[in-house]
Amino acid sequence: MGDPKEEEDAQSRRYSSSPEPDQSAFKTRMMQFQYSAAADSPSPRRSSRISSRPSPSHTPSPASSARKKRPLATESLSHGTDELDETSDLDSPVTKGGAVTPKLKKRRSTTKERSAKDPYSPANNLVDSLRPGLTLVCIGLNPGLMTAATGHAYAHPSNRFWHLLHDSGVTPKKHIPAETRDLMDLYQIGNTNICERPTRSGDGLSKQELEEGAVVLDKKIATFRPEAVVIVGKGIWESLWLVKKGQKKFNDPNFHWGWQDEDMQIGRTMDAEGEVVWPGSKTFVATSTSGLAATLRPAEKLAIWKPLGDWMTLKRKEREASKLVSSD
């Protein structure tokens, strides 16, 4: 092995003899990568998708952010007995023969449409409960299908007529539809309708039927002359009002539930000179008791019927008192 001192001197001489790097060339090369903010320098490339995005501070308008709704069908289609709504939502389209036909969702038929399908003259087994000397006559619209079949007034289970009679005090106990005619003997309460033709609902009656029925009803009441009548439903009263007023559209700003004015009493009779022969029956307008009439809550209906019940309660007490006097 050689002398370590000599090897160290030789290595030192080798390093000192190597050329130094060119500093100026290095700086020139680095300046090529120096940032320049020149105005005419081309802008950096950006993705068109990124550039089209709104800035974070941009708030889209409600109209632009609203979801597009599916178009609605403009025609109703029928297939057999199935009925489709004219405004049903489009379902998946059906392609047939190269043409795209929108597939529509079925809807339930309306009550008026179902009424139109009813037989024009189904059997009606309901007869009027009328005779002279009655205290009250209940006036309905027309027999429903169940009422017509059974011959019992307000026979459908959803109808609240018998409940309201009892709860309001018109009758001291709750009765059932089969006891319709018994009310005449028990409390002098009768029953009739403005129209005799049965339908599924009142929508099945024509305007002409209602007008003709109003005239017939007025004559019935004038013939039997009950002390009072109750109109079971505002719609019935509107038909009677139109005939009495000779109007085509109901527009009574003074309409109110309960007892009506004397000049609007049902059965009012005038002679040729315009003199009142009979003032008519006291007329009380109450709510409909049909299960289809859900505009008012049960408590609201009962509140409207209650004054009639109070009047009937008073009449029963007077009748009982007169019986005691006559028995003495």
Side-chain angles (χ1 to χ4, degrees):
M1 295 182 60
D3 186 2
K5 181 67 174 174
E6 293 179 356
E7 292 180 0
E8 183 178 353
D9 293 341
Q11 185 175 5
S12 176
R13 287 194 299 271
R14 186 167 56 250
Y15 287 153
S16 61
S17 62
S18 60
E20 295 183 359
D22 189 354
Q23 296 293 332
S24 61
F26 176 76
K27 290 182 178 180
T28 302
R29 186 175 180 83
M30 291 300 295
M31 288 180 65
Q32 296 178 0
F33 301 96
Q34 184 177 357
Y35 171 76
S36 176
D40 57 349
S41 61
S43 60
R45 295 177 59 187
R46 298 185 64 186
S47 169
S48 59
R49 184 177 61 181
I50 296 177
S51 61
S52 62
R53 291 180 181 175
S55 61
S57 61
H58 173 69
T59 303
S61 62
S64 62
S65 62
R67 295 179 59 187
K68 292 184 178 180
K69 296 182 179 180
R70 287 183 172 183
L72 300 180
T74 57
E75 295 181 359
S76 62
L77 305 178
S78 60
H79 180 71
T81 58
D82 294 336
E83 297 179 1
L84 302 177
D85 192 357
E86 294 183 357
T87 58
S88 298
D89 292 337
L90 287 174
D91 205 339
S92 57
V94 178
T95 304
K96 184 177 181 181
V100 178
T101 303
K103 182 180 178 182
L104 303 179
K105 294 181 180 179
K106 296 180 181 179
R107 68 168 175 83
R108 296 182 62 184
S109 59
T110 63
T111 303
K112 188 171 185 178
E113 291 168 342
R114 292 194 296 271
S115 297
K117 294 180 180 179
D118 290 336
Y120 184 77
S121 297
N124 181 18
N125 297 315
L126 180 69
V127 296
D128 288 341
S129 298
L130 293 175
R131 69 185 184 193
L134 295 176
T135 302
L136 179 69
V137 171
C138 302
I139 300 175
L141 183 61
N142 72 313
L145 299 184
M146 185 173 291
T147 293
T150 61
H152 305 146
Y154 307 95
H156 198 281
S158 68
N159 199 297
R160 303 292 298 173
F161 176 79
W162 300 98
H163 297 272
L164 280 169
L165 282 192
H166 173 234
D167 294 343
S168 64
V170 173
T171 59
K173 61 172 287 188
K174 182 185 174 185
H175 292 273
I176 59 176
E179 298 173 315
T180 298
R181 296 188 65 81
D182 296 340
L183 298 186
M184 289 193 294
D185 295 329
L186 293 172
Y187 318 112
Q188 287 73 51
I189 296 178
N191 178 76
T192 188
N193 291 296
I194 189 173
C195 293
E196 294 183 358
R197 184 173 70 87
T199 58
R200 187 185 300 271
S201 76
D203 291 333
L205 297 173
S206 67
K207 185 177 181 181
Q208 181 180 354
E209 286 179 290
L210 293 173
E211 291 177 352
E212 294 175 353
V215 175
V216 173
L217 174 67
D218 205 60
K219 293 179 179 179
K220 282 183 184 179
I221 300 303
T223 299
F224 293 101
R225 297 191 176 187
E227 188 171 352
V229 297
V230 54
I231 311 299
V232 188
K234 183 184 176 184
I236 306 172
W237 175 248
E238 290 179 0
S239 298
L240 297 171
W241 186 92
L242 292 175
V243 172
K244 282 183 170 293
K245 294 291 186 179
Q247 303 291 329
K248 296 297 182 181
K249 184 178 180 181
F250 181 78
N251 184 20
D252 183 8
N254 299 319
F255 169 77
H256 58 278
W257 301 105
W259 299 109
Q260 302 300 308
D261 298 335
E262 184 175 327
D263 62 336
M264 291 298 293
Q265 292 182 163
I266 306 301
R268 184 179 178 86
T269 307
M270 313 282 288
D271 60 16
E273 286 75 25
E275 297 294 330
V276 177
V277 177
W278 184 59
S281 300
K282 288 172 59 69
T283 302
F284 189 97
V285 177
T287 66
S288 172
T289 60
S290 171
L292 299 175
T295 305
L296 298 174
R297 295 190 296 269
E300 294 173 324
K301 291 184 178 182
L302 179 58
I304 293 172
W305 277 80
K306 194 66 172 64
L308 179 64
D310 295 341
W311 183 80
M312 283 296 295
T313 300
L314 179 61
K315 287 297 176 180
R316 283 196 300 272
K317 291 180 179 179
E318 292 177 353
R319 190 164 52 251
E320 292 171 359
S322 63
K323 288 181 180 179
L324 292 175
V325 171
S326 60
S327 63
D328 293 341

